[in-house]
Amino acid sequence: MFFFKPKLIKNDKKFNAKMLFKDVSSDEWDKVNLTKANLDFSIDSVRLVNEYADRLIQTEFGQQLLKEHPDNFTTRIGAYLGEVIKNHKDG
């Protein structure tokens, strides 16, 4: 009964990572900085993601977003950082 084994559910981490620049809040900083051009999965782009995380923690607007969508940010930021590591694992 090899053919009837349940298949593993594979989450699309790349899709979750791309949501950082595809699903941007109305905040002006987010609109200007969280773009496909800036979030290009480079090592340097990690600094921008770090700044974004700091803004989420330190601003009222960011804290409200975290309250409303707590899982979105951890999933998206984690997936993004994972993709950066995967893309640069060989140097």
Side-chain angles (χ1 to χ4, degrees):
M1 293 290 134
F2 175 76
F3 298 107
F4 297 110
K5 282 188 174 182
K7 293 186 178 188
L8 293 175
I9 297 172
K10 183 179 176 185
N11 292 329
D12 188 356
K13 299 299 181 198
K14 186 85 166 190
F15 173 80
N16 285 330
K18 288 180 179 180
M19 290 304 289
L20 271 180
F21 58 80
K22 288 186 174 186
D23 182 27
V24 178
S25 77
S26 60
D27 183 70
E28 191 60 34
W29 187 93
D30 292 358
K31 288 181 185 179
V32 170
N33 292 288
L34 301 180
T35 64
K36 186 175 182 178
N38 289 342
L39 297 175
D40 59 359
F41 299 98
S42 66
I43 300 293
D44 288 335
S45 70
V46 173
R47 288 185 186 93
L48 187 61
V49 172
N50 186 54
E51 188 175 347
Y52 174 57
D54 284 344
R55 288 179 50 78
L56 286 174
I57 294 166
Q58 296 173 2
T59 64
E60 270 187 56
F61 183 75
Q63 288 184 8
Q64 185 63 33
L65 286 176
L66 288 172
K67 284 180 188 175
E68 292 173 7
H69 313 284
D71 294 339
N72 285 1
F73 296 103
T74 55
T75 300
R76 292 173 183 184
I77 291 171
Y80 185 86
L81 296 176
E83 289 297 321
V84 171
I85 291 167
K86 189 170 82 174
N87 291 344
H88 299 281
K89 66 183 177 193
D90 296 326

